[in-house]
Amino acid sequence: MADTQPPAEGSGEPQQPSKNALKKAQKEAEKAAKKAAAKERELAERMKKEASDAADVSAESYGELPLTGSKGFKKTGTPRVSLSDIDEYVDKEITFRCWVENARVQSAKLAFLNLRQAYNTIQAVVAASDKLSKQMVKFAGNVSTESLLVVTGEVKRVQEPIKSATIKDYELHIVKLFIEKKADVLPLQVSDAERAIPNEGLGEDVQKEGEGEGQPIVGLNTRLNNRTIDLRAKINLAIFDIKMGVQTLFLEFLSKEKFRLINTPKILGAASEGGANVFELKYFDRKAYLAQSPQFYKQMLIAARFQRVMEIGSVFRAENSNTARHLTEFIGLDLEMEFQEDYHEVMDVLENLMLFIFKELNTRYKKETDLVRSVYHVDEFKLPESGKVPRIEFTEGIKMLREVGEELNDFDDLSTPQEKLLGKLVLEKYGSDFYTLDQFPLAIRPAYTMPSPANANLSNSYDMFMRGQEICSGAQRIHDADLLSEMMRKHDPPVDPNGPGTKDYVDSFRYGCPPHGGGGFGLERIVQFWLGLPNIRMTSLFPRDPQRVVP
């Protein structure tokens, strides 16, 4: 206790520090020493980095660019090229925009990247040298997948074909690499979207990741929920190039046949064609409806002396059909024409139109078709000769199905499985994946369909099929107002010819209208069945069905 008791006042002896005070002072000294050492290390690292940066010969040749159009962005004016023209630039330096399929650091002095533009991919090499730093190699090899780049490099021929790229005879030796827009971590790998979706009817939980040759299987819902990533896949680019091609060929053929391109309303004041399969919407202070088809307007234009009309436009069907071939919004390829004496003149045009589209897809879009079919393996679409499209009367189709054990009445509508079966039978008998079924039962066709003169139970109507599935419905239309009114009243369910959505339509035939017919194709179905895709949603950029209205 004596060493802790303070000395007496006025004793003149110096005060000794306590043990606690000594320990505290020692800790403070150690802390200060550590802090000083950390500062010394930080200063050394900074000096080392500054020295390293000063030695980076590529410091101005790589990095992340300011946002295009921002204050810090500066135009270079450097011409950009397309990888599709790569043959023109062998041993030359080129600059182009691309995105990264993958990037990897091979060593401190070497990195490889796979760069893509549309369908084209090229292997790029970043190799350290006197003119290219290790820092640039490291930067390039760690660029995130799907980041957008602007690169400059020299095109070099390779001795062995490059298997990992579509451009197999050349590689790019990079001299400049800038990130134009960095990609965050992806919710879906684009490489996953290049593979086939799970089989139709299997839920996403049935096939798990890791199945199918050790590669992840991503279901359609996941892909559609991340559609902008999914659409980056080359296979999807091919699908929509083919879809564009069908529309282009449709217009090309019919333009030569003197059809006029029209655009009909998609907002209607009444559900003109009847039925419950119509979308209702609020239109200012009253109800309106989305068009189920351009049918009435096509016919009214024939009455207006337009003679031949065609349209490509959206069609809306409020059908609660959650199948692999139904959408609530799809693109219709529609046409209507007057004919001279027989409605089969219309069928001739329709069949020749489709043969033209099929043959041109086989030539103009062969590369895209082959790409998709390499993933979704399907037999080549078998075509008949021009003028020899199989035309089978409905009664004959019923007979063919009965002969293989199907039970159905003379005037029953065909189910989807029966349509597919009939398609197989037609292929076996006629060697064609495309055919027409003619003279449908009147009771299962719209009220404006012309009855058949041969049989009161049949009609002058037809459907067209690809691989046993319907792509087109058409008919001769009634062009007499009185007969049309009569057939509307007799229809099941009845349609009022004087109703708000039908009166103008019916009246248009009171002033002299020529005989006419036409048809409406489902664009997405044509693409689906041509390519053998398992689900129609794959042919719509942002599909709409009873369960999906986003994205």
Side-chain angles (χ1 to χ4, degrees):
M1 296 295 293
D3 61 345
T4 63
Q5 186 172 339
E9 188 176 344
S11 64
E13 296 181 7
Q15 297 182 4
Q16 298 297 318
S18 66
K19 289 182 178 180
N20 288 340
L22 289 172
K23 289 181 179 180
K24 184 176 181 181
Q26 185 178 359
K27 288 181 179 180
E28 291 293 335
E30 291 174 354
K31 187 176 180 181
K34 288 180 179 180
K35 189 174 182 180
K39 285 185 176 181
E40 288 182 6
R41 287 196 299 272
E42 182 182 347
L43 179 61
E45 288 293 330
R46 186 165 64 248
M47 292 177 67
K48 183 179 179 181
K49 185 178 185 305
E50 289 175 355
S52 176
D53 290 345
D56 187 352
V57 294
S58 303
E60 302 298 320
S61 298
Y62 69 95
E64 193 164 347
L65 295 175
L67 193 66
T68 303
S70 68
K71 186 176 181 180
F73 174 76
K74 295 180 180 179
K75 293 193 294 184
T76 65
T78 304
R80 308 285 180 88
V81 306
S82 169
L83 288 180
S84 60
D85 302 323
I86 194 74
D87 291 323
E88 301 176 14
Y89 299 103
V90 181
D91 295 328
K92 296 180 181 178
E93 191 173 278
I94 61 173
T95 298
F96 59 94
R97 173 183 285 153
C98 57
W99 62 93
V100 181
E101 280 198 334
N102 62 66
R104 66 186 189 279
V105 175
Q106 191 77 5
S107 68
K109 293 185 176 182
L110 184 64
F112 290 96
L113 298 92
N114 260 44
L115 306 178
R116 179 181 164 194
Q117 245 189 20
Y119 293 107
N120 299 303
T121 58
I122 189 169
Q123 177 175 279
V125 180
V126 188
S129 65
D130 294 341
K131 297 181 179 180
L132 196 149
S133 67
K134 292 181 180 180
Q135 295 96 319
M136 182 171 171
V137 172
K138 182 178 180 181
F139 177 85
N142 287 284
V143 176
S144 60
T145 301
E146 290 296 303
S147 289
L148 200 65
L149 305 181
V150 176
V151 299
T152 300
E154 191 173 357
V155 179
K156 291 292 184 180
R157 190 180 295 274
V158 294
Q159 294 181 346
E160 297 290 333
I162 298 171
K163 296 180 180 179
S164 61
T166 63
I167 297 173
K168 301 187 178 301
D169 298 327
Y170 311 105
E171 67 182 6
L172 187 75
H173 290 202
I174 286 183
V175 295
K176 293 182 181 180
L177 184 149
F178 293 98
I179 297 176
E180 194 171 32
K181 195 67 185 71
K182 184 178 179 181
D184 293 342
V185 177
L186 301 174
L188 167 73
Q189 294 299 316
V190 175
S191 58
D192 295 340
E194 297 284 6
R195 291 186 280 274
I197 64 170
N199 292 332
E200 183 182 345
L202 294 180
E204 291 194 33
D205 293 333
V206 176
Q207 290 177 297
K208 302 294 185 181
E209 287 193 1
E211 294 183 357
E213 301 181 355
Q215 297 175 325
I217 295 176
V218 181
L220 183 58
N221 278 336
T222 298
R223 297 187 184 192
L224 295 180
N225 289 339
N226 300 280
R227 191 59 161 160
T228 54
I229 302 298
D230 181 51
L231 288 172
R232 295 182 182 183
K234 288 189 281 291
I235 183 175
N236 283 327
L237 188 61
I239 289 170
F240 290 98
D241 278 351
I242 290 167
K243 187 176 183 180
M244 175 189 68
V246 173
Q247 296 174 84
T248 301
L249 296 168
F250 176 85
L251 295 173
E252 181 180 327
F253 179 88
L254 293 179
S255 293
K256 291 179 180 178
E257 294 292 324
K258 309 301 182 186
F259 280 75
R260 288 183 171 86
L261 183 63
I262 60 170
N263 304 103
T264 59
K266 305 308 170 195
I267 299 176
L268 309 181
S272 54
E273 294 187 50
N277 301 325
V278 60
F279 288 110
E280 180 182 303
L281 60 120
K282 184 178 179 181
Y283 191 73
F284 300 104
D285 60 347
R286 57 196 182 278
K287 293 180 181 179
Y289 305 87
L290 293 178
Q292 294 168 281
S293 82
Q295 185 57 49
F296 284 11
Y297 292 102
K298 290 191 302 177
Q299 291 184 251
M300 292 166 75
L301 287 168
I302 298 299
R305 304 290 191 262
F306 273 49
Q307 294 184 296
R308 294 184 168 199
V309 296
M310 60 179 172
E311 179 173 18
I312 299 176
S314 294
V315 176
F316 303 91
R317 299 280 173 85
E319 298 175 348
N320 193 15
S321 298
N322 296 280
T323 76
R325 65 173 197 170
H326 283 90
L327 293 169
T328 54
E329 179 184 355
F330 62 91
I331 302 300
L333 305 178
D334 276 273
L335 64 89
E336 203 78 16
M337 59 176 280
E338 68 173 63
F339 61 83
Q340 299 305 313
E341 296 182 318
D342 188 274
Y343 75 98
H344 289 97
E345 298 168 27
V346 183
M347 291 172 62
D348 290 339
V349 173
L350 291 168
E351 289 170 351
N352 289 333
L353 163 66
M354 292 312 300
L355 289 180
F356 173 78
I357 290 174
F358 295 146
K359 289 176 181 178
E360 293 304 313
L361 287 177
N362 269 334
T363 54
R364 300 189 205 182
Y365 294 88
K366 186 179 187 304
K367 182 187 295 186
E368 292 83 355
T369 296
D370 289 346
L371 173 60
V372 179
R373 289 181 182 169
S374 71
V375 177
Y376 293 95
H377 305 288
V378 63
D379 293 336
E380 185 175 348
F381 194 85
K382 292 181 174 58
L383 292 174
E385 295 179 17
S386 182
K388 294 186 178 181
V389 175
R391 285 186 187 175
I392 302 167
E393 292 203 356
F394 189 86
T395 52
E396 181 186 345
I398 294 291
K399 181 181 177 182
M400 292 173 67
L401 289 170
R402 285 175 178 164
E403 288 175 351
V404 294
E406 289 293 310
E407 295 182 4
L408 66 170
N409 297 321
D410 290 346
F411 306 115
D412 285 349
D413 200 0
L414 301 183
S415 66
T416 299
Q418 287 169 340
E419 285 183 355
K420 292 181 179 180
L421 176 56
L422 184 57
K424 292 180 180 179
L425 298 175
V426 171
L427 179 59
E428 291 172 3
K429 186 174 181 178
Y430 298 98
S432 176
D433 276 313
F434 174 61
Y435 74 96
T436 302
L437 202 58
D438 192 15
Q439 288 283 301
F440 268 75
L442 183 63
I444 62 174
R445 306 301 276 196
Y448 46 75
T449 306
M450 180 67 78
S452 172
N455 187 322
N457 292 312
L458 300 176
S459 63
N460 291 353
S461 63
Y462 42 84
D463 281 358
M464 294 182 179
F465 296 83
M466 290 175 64
R467 301 189 194 273
Q469 301 199 67
E470 179 210 331
I471 59 164
C472 172
S473 182
Q476 177 185 352
R477 327 299 187 180
I478 298 172
H479 59 287
D480 176 82
D482 293 336
L483 177 58
L484 179 57
S485 298
E486 177 187 344
M487 297 305 295
M488 282 182 164
R489 294 188 181 99
K490 288 181 179 179
H491 196 262
D492 184 18
V495 180
D496 181 4
N498 295 311
T502 55
K503 188 177 187 305
D504 290 334
Y505 164 70
V506 173
D507 285 348
S508 68
F509 304 118
R510 298 190 186 282
Y511 313 113
C513 179
H516 61 278
F521 294 88
L523 172 60
E524 287 80 4
R525 285 192 181 182
I526 294 173
V527 177
Q528 180 189 5
F529 303 147
W530 173 254
L531 296 172
L533 299 175
N535 199 298
I536 196 169
R537 290 156 185 79
M538 301 174 66
T539 68
S540 176
L541 287 171
F542 300 97
R544 296 293 178 256
D545 61 33
Q547 311 303 323
R548 180 176 292 277
V549 291
V550 294

